[in-house]
Amino acid sequence: MNNKANNHSFITAAIQMNSQQNVEKNLADIKAAIADACTQGAQLIILPENCCSMGEQFATAERFDELSATIAHYASTYNVYVLIGSLPCLYRPDGMLVPNSRLRQVSQLFAPDGTRVARYDKIHLFTATVADKQGNYNEAATFEPGTQTVVTPLEINDVVYQLGMMVCFDLRFPALAQRLRQAGADLLSAPSAFTYLTGQAHWSLLLRARALDSQCMVIGAAQGGDHLYKDGNIHQTWGHTSISAYDGTIVDSYDDSALNQDNTKNDAKDNKNYAIVMATFDKQAQVQGRQKLPIFDCHRLA
């Protein structure tokens, strides 16, 4: 699809996955989802957190460069921007190994020519007690938090847009979304793997709230369904991939946790191992909305 007739809009896609611990199978699903989204006109594709493997963080981190290069190749093959929701990584952005046997949780954006244009290391690490089988979550035991916010340009049809990057638990913190807007963001990426219970309670609310806080489109690509770990445990994620416009309205969503439900929306009936949620980002409409409600001109506390 060619959007050159409207030089201030383009189509973005958020992918819902049910990644397991078979990396090659997950990569096949990622490639299929990218190809499918491209045939529907997507020019920016957001993959969920832990898209290459749920769990097995250290083994996956050993393959960080290889997996990044593979998905960069998909971006160049299909001539599209692709954001890897997250991959665990052994080293910091400066190349230094993460100390204390920890990792970084890294989101990356690849351009249509396959070059990496941005790396964002997840700042806020999930710490919570949840009434599910796992009970306690402490990402800081495995990961070191990032320290830098990231807003990166993407050029589509000769127009430059600014993408602010977040990952999952970052959605809890309105100050981050506001800072990204202050740095020029038009859109915010929010690849995630919310637990079933926290997602059920808060996922849609958080996407909409961060959109309202920042007056940016927020693209929430999610993991959903049951993930079987090698120790026999099952981890449940909420799914419900959604895209919120700047005014807090949900533009499109996949309204299930598990894929391939008896739901005619998003081609779930075709038994694909992914779901695609799509939206047209209209920069002119968003600018007009910001002008009508100029909250950043009124903001006094930060």
Side-chain angles (χ1 to χ4, degrees):
M1 183 179 294
N2 190 330
N3 285 325
K4 288 189 176 181
N6 182 346
N7 285 329
H8 297 278
S9 68
F10 68 90
I11 296 173
T12 184
I15 307 301
Q16 180 160 320
M17 296 182 64
N18 176 238
S19 298
Q20 302 294 328
Q21 295 185 351
N22 183 331
V23 173
E24 280 62 42
K25 175 64 167 60
N26 295 331
L27 286 173
D29 292 339
I30 288 168
K31 184 177 182 180
I34 291 171
D36 194 350
C38 284
T39 64
Q40 298 182 55
Q43 293 163 290
L44 168 65
I45 298 171
I46 310 293
L47 302 171
E49 186 177 29
N50 296 320
C51 54
C52 289
S53 179
M54 283 288 292
E56 295 288 289
Q57 298 288 5
F58 285 92
T60 308
E62 294 283 352
R63 299 179 62 180
F64 176 82
D65 293 332
E66 169 207 342
L67 296 172
S68 299
T70 297
I71 297 179
H73 177 66
Y74 298 161
S76 63
T77 298
Y78 295 100
N79 192 38
V80 65
Y81 281 98
V82 176
L83 185 138
I84 300 178
S86 74
L87 282 174
C89 182
L90 295 167
Y91 54 86
R92 295 168 172 169
D94 63 4
M96 180 181 295
L97 288 176
V98 179
N100 303 318
S101 300
R102 291 196 293 173
L103 308 169
R104 289 285 185 100
Q105 187 73 302
V106 175
S107 186
Q108 301 172 91
L109 179 67
F110 292 93
D113 64 1
T115 60
R116 188 175 75 178
V117 293
R119 165 177 166 159
Y120 165 66
D121 291 19
K122 184 178 181 181
I123 291 174
H124 299 103
L125 301 178
F126 184 45
T127 303
T129 299
V130 180
D132 61 12
K133 291 181 180 179
Q134 182 162 332
N136 295 308
Y137 294 84
N138 180 16
E139 276 193 307
T142 303
F143 295 100
E144 176 186 67
T147 59
Q148 299 293 321
T149 58
V150 174
V151 176
T152 186
L154 30 144
E155 185 175 341
I156 298 175
N157 299 331
D158 301 321
V159 176
V160 176
Y161 304 88
Q162 300 292 334
L163 176 69
M165 298 173 68
M166 302 189 296
V167 176
C168 200
F169 198 51
D170 286 330
L171 277 169
R172 298 276 177 181
F173 302 92
L176 176 58
Q178 291 168 333
R179 181 172 295 187
L180 294 171
R181 160 68 191 278
Q182 289 169 331
D186 300 306
L187 310 98
L188 303 179
S189 54
S192 300
F194 265 60
T195 72
Y196 187 94
L197 292 177
T198 57
Q200 185 180 44
H202 303 138
W203 168 248
S204 180
L205 176 62
L206 287 169
L207 287 173
R208 297 176 66 198
R210 295 300 80 83
L212 288 168
D213 291 336
S214 64
Q215 296 180 311
C216 293
M217 175 174 279
V218 180
I219 307 163
Q223 293 283 353
D226 292 347
H227 310 270
L228 178 63
Y229 283 22
K230 290 182 178 178
D231 62 6
N233 288 324
I234 293 177
H235 181 70
Q236 290 183 304
T237 52
W238 177 240
H240 290 75
T241 289
S242 301
I243 300 175
S244 176
Y246 71 94
D247 60 0
T249 58
I250 296 297
V251 181
D252 192 20
S253 64
Y254 180 78
D255 298 325
D256 284 297
S257 296
L259 299 171
N260 305 324
Q261 300 297 303
D262 184 17
N263 182 343
T264 58
K265 190 175 183 181
N266 297 309
D267 297 324
K269 62 183 178 180
D270 294 334
N271 293 320
K272 297 176 181 177
N273 293 312
Y274 57 86
I276 301 174
V277 170
M278 305 187 76
T280 297
F281 175 71
D282 187 331
K283 185 171 183 176
Q284 289 179 321
Q286 182 169 283
V287 167
Q288 291 170 0
R290 290 176 173 184
Q291 291 171 344
K292 291 176 181 178
L293 187 63
I295 59 174
F296 280 78
D297 293 340
C298 306
H299 197 179
R300 293 291 177 265
L301 294 180

